[in-house]
Amino acid sequence: MDPFINYTAFPAMLYEAIDQNDEGFTIIAARVTYDLLIPEDGRARLKLSPTQSPLCKGDEHYGDPSKSSVMCESDLAPYKPGTDIVINATAYAPGDKPAPFFGAAVQIGEQTKTVRVNGPRVWRNGLTGWSLEPPKSIASLDLRYEYASGGLYEVDGKVIASPANPVGMGWYPPEYLRQCKKTTLPAPQIESADKPVSSIGEIVPPEGFGFIGRGWQGRIEYAGTMDEAWQKERHPLLPRDFRFDYWRGAHPALQLPHPKPLTEIPVALRNLVPASDVPNQAVIFDIPVETVFIFTTTDKGLGVTKDLLLDTVLIDMAARKVFCTYRVALSEELNPVETQLRYITVDDRKAQQEKVAAMNPDPASHEFIPLPPSLMTSVKKEKRHG
């Protein structure tokens, strides 16, 4: 593994991986932590935190890993073909006044995701079968998949789990219902605003803004075919039909294309703060796409720069923090001998571009300032039109 030098204030790591074609590559991941400052009018802003949080090196659950959802997924993925937007939050009723149900929403750019939050409610077994009772009023609820449709049960020594959400509630398989003596059973509290739960045994995708479990339906399929042939011929290597979409952990509605460098991601949240903090309960802010890049020297003496892509955004509303993970992958064929991680602030971008335009082309200068492709494009344009 080549030497790695981190010239930034952000926690970072260099590690290696192998893809489904048995090709090796090197990954550099870095995590940027912001404080989320939310005034009463909801027009929030991000400020680089004086204490930068380390990379998450393993999945962190809310409780027992076998019975709870993921609070923070490991940052040590090899590659994500897009950007995950994840929000850990509590939903609050409008005006903080208890209500039988209410909505909560997230808008990222033009992409909107909504959920319906219900108070405690039950399925009741009557003459026509199991039906939903009206929910009781509630003022707030943690948006965790434990409250979404799903569940896990043991019937006659056999474990039966919802393939879509084994940590959830309110879903009951026929095997369980046949031996159940109860007339009421807890029902899901978080559901789709457009397609609410209608049947006690219906398997539906879990609703929420958090990380989807690695082994859940809708994600595990990307892991590839792990059959007997794979076990004999390839284990522990990846199946040939593995897809890197497997590493995307956000709810499918919050999986977006990688944002372009030098841009911002607009975020709007509804009912994820109490009215006591923000009277209209609407919060808006922008997440900057930072200029975080690597400068790699190869064994042939070549210098290569690459932008890190922002591929994971974790918004923690309780902690008032935003965590952004950037990543880049390098082929082992590059044969790097040293890799440096560098950072240019938004305010310094123009100054650095001007230095590069003036210094790097000068044969009399012994200094060299590396710039990532995102900033070099602007330099070339200035030289061409100058």
Side-chain angles (χ1 to χ4, degrees):
M1 187 176 291
D2 57 296
F4 175 59
I5 304 173
N6 184 0
Y7 285 119
T8 79
F10 310 130
M13 181 180 291
L14 180 149
Y15 50 99
E16 296 177 344
I18 298 176
D19 66 15
Q20 67 270 39
N21 299 313
D22 303 339
E23 299 289 339
F25 54 101
T26 299
I27 307 100
I28 297 92
R31 197 185 210 202
V32 180
T33 303
Y34 303 94
D35 294 329
L36 177 58
L37 309 176
I38 306 177
E40 285 191 0
D41 65 4
R43 295 182 178 276
R45 66 183 181 89
L46 298 185
K47 178 183 178 182
L48 283 172
S49 177
T51 303
Q52 291 290 307
S53 298
L55 287 161
C56 183
K57 297 180 182 178
D59 293 355
E60 298 176 0
H61 292 251
Y62 285 102
D64 183 339
S66 65
K67 299 178 182 179
S68 65
S69 56
V70 173
M71 177 174 58
C72 181
E73 193 166 277
S74 172
D75 281 317
L76 304 187
Y79 172 74
K80 294 186 180 186
T83 298
D84 285 337
I85 307 293
V86 176
I87 301 98
N88 292 339
T90 298
Y92 296 89
D96 296 342
K97 298 177 181 179
F101 59 87
F102 53 90
V106 174
Q107 183 174 356
I108 311 294
E110 297 181 356
Q111 187 83 3
T112 300
K113 168 67 181 165
T114 61
V115 297
R116 171 173 160 149
V117 177
N118 298 281
R121 57 180 183 166
V122 298
W123 295 102
R124 183 173 296 278
N125 194 9
L127 295 175
T128 58
W130 293 91
S131 60
L132 275 173
E133 293 276 285
K136 297 179 180 179
S137 293
I138 192 173
S140 65
L141 183 69
D142 291 340
L143 292 177
R144 290 167 50 180
Y145 291 116
E146 285 85 333
Y147 298 106
S149 179
L152 182 149
Y153 308 94
E154 185 173 338
V155 181
D156 298 329
K158 178 183 177 182
V159 175
I160 304 172
S162 166
N165 179 15
V167 306
M169 64 180 294
W171 166 84
Y172 302 92
E175 298 92 332
Y176 178 87
L177 294 176
R178 281 195 292 268
Q179 56 87 52
C180 180
K181 306 299 182 183
K182 299 178 181 179
T183 57
T184 62
L185 291 169
Q189 289 184 250
I190 302 174
E191 60 187 354
S192 167
D194 302 319
K195 297 179 180 179
V197 175
S198 59
S199 172
I200 194 170
E202 179 185 11
I203 297 174
V204 298
E207 292 297 329
F209 306 141
F211 285 103
I212 296 290
R214 295 179 186 275
W216 298 5
Q217 191 177 72
R219 184 177 183 184
I220 188 62
E221 293 85 350
Y222 295 122
T225 305
M226 299 183 186
D227 55 11
E228 186 176 345
W230 169 79
Q231 188 73 30
K232 289 181 178 180
E233 300 170 11
R234 292 207 34 89
H235 179 75
L237 298 173
L238 291 173
R240 293 294 187 189
D241 57 349
F242 176 88
R243 291 177 55 184
F244 278 93
D245 299 83
Y246 172 77
W247 294 105
R248 303 186 71 176
H251 189 283
L254 294 174
Q255 295 182 7
L256 309 176
H258 290 128
K260 294 180 180 180
L262 317 182
T263 62
E264 295 182 328
I265 303 174
V267 177
L269 311 175
R270 170 67 69 174
N271 289 346
L272 299 186
V273 290
S276 57
D277 290 351
V278 179
N280 68 2
Q281 292 173 275
V283 174
I284 60 172
F285 58 93
D286 293 322
I287 300 174
V289 180
E290 301 283 5
T291 303
V292 185
F293 67 102
I294 57 165
F295 175 58
T296 297
T297 305
T298 73
D299 60 350
K300 299 184 185 304
L302 299 176
V304 178
T305 61
K306 292 191 72 172
D307 288 277
L308 271 67
L309 295 175
L310 173 56
D311 68 16
T312 310
V313 175
L314 173 58
I315 302 170
D316 189 326
M317 292 301 291
R320 294 291 197 268
K321 297 280 188 180
V322 176
F323 307 98
C324 293
T325 302
Y326 290 77
R327 193 181 326 274
V328 68
L330 298 174
S331 169
E332 64 179 5
E333 295 180 359
L334 194 62
N335 293 324
V337 295
E338 181 182 277
T339 299
Q340 303 173 2
L341 182 68
R342 293 171 172 258
Y343 168 62
I344 300 175
T345 68
V346 173
D347 294 338
D348 288 340
R349 285 172 183 168
K350 186 172 179 57
Q352 288 292 89
Q353 288 173 318
E354 291 173 349
K355 282 184 180 180
V356 167
M359 182 181 299
N360 289 358
D362 183 1
S365 174
H366 296 288
E367 294 187 62
F368 173 78
I369 300 177
L371 281 187
S374 57
L375 291 183
M376 281 301 298
T377 301
S378 299
V379 171
K380 290 178 181 178
K381 287 181 179 178
E382 287 177 9
K383 289 175 65 180
R384 182 168 63 248
H385 295 294

